[in-house]
Amino acid sequence: MAAGFALSGAMDWRPMTAADLPGVLALADRLHPHHPEAPAVFAERLALAPGGCWMLGEGEGYAVAHPWDGLAPPPLDSLLGRLRPGPWHLHDIALLPAARGAGHAARLLARWPEATLVAVPGTGAYWEAQGFRDAPCADAVALASYGEGARFMRRRAAP
């Protein structure tokens, strides 16, 4: 696959670089004010799983994913230390409001046919439409770090 890939409209997803991290942090703070994370969290995810870290356009969005065990999410705002074998875990896909609704996230999700994620309140219906279903979570404390009403979800690859 080429370095980036085009989506509908003029924006492309491209690999995230360390130079993108200040913009990612600013966007995360803007879009997720109730779920703050330290700069080291994003830097570590990029270092451990660069193939899961993407930027939309010139900063209209970002995605961070990494392999994980599929049993529970890592606690919010925590360093991983190392990756665990398993499906991809979608740590975050965040788009500016003007970039939403154009299929950008859905196109990127095609890269990870089997994945887990945490749906924060108000997002469950979107993730269900993308094929995710509620899944048992082996670590209630980790899930609770995302706030009341967070749901651990999994999408399985088609047979």
Side-chain angles (χ1 to χ4, degrees):
M1 177 174 286
F5 54 99
L7 303 176
S8 60
M11 288 184 272
D12 292 347
W13 284 104
R14 62 174 175 79
M16 185 185 295
T17 68
D20 292 313
L21 289 174
V24 168
L25 292 167
L27 196 54
D29 288 345
R30 177 179 171 188
L31 297 174
H32 305 307
H34 302 295
H35 299 95
E37 294 193 275
V41 170
F42 291 99
E44 184 197 50
R45 301 297 196 275
L46 178 60
L48 289 174
C53 298
W54 295 87
M55 292 297 297
L56 181 63
E58 295 304 314
E60 288 83 2
Y62 68 86
V64 175
H66 55 81
W68 202 242
D69 61 22
L71 303 175
L76 185 68
D77 194 31
S78 67
L79 297 176
L80 303 176
R82 63 177 179 79
L83 297 177
R84 296 182 186 173
W88 284 89
H89 178 74
L90 307 178
H91 178 77
D92 197 6
I93 296 179
L95 303 176
L96 287 172
R100 295 177 190 162
H104 299 308
R107 175 74 184 258
L108 185 62
L109 286 169
R111 297 180 63 80
W112 304 299
E114 184 169 347
T116 62
L117 57 79
V118 173
V120 296
T123 65
Y126 173 80
W127 294 116
E128 288 171 353
Q130 303 305 315
F132 287 85
R133 300 293 176 258
D134 288 316
C137 183
D139 188 342
V141 173
L143 183 59
S145 71
Y146 292 83
E148 188 175 339
R151 298 164 56 189
F152 185 62
M153 301 183 83
R154 182 180 194 126
R155 180 173 69 178
R156 298 201 181 271

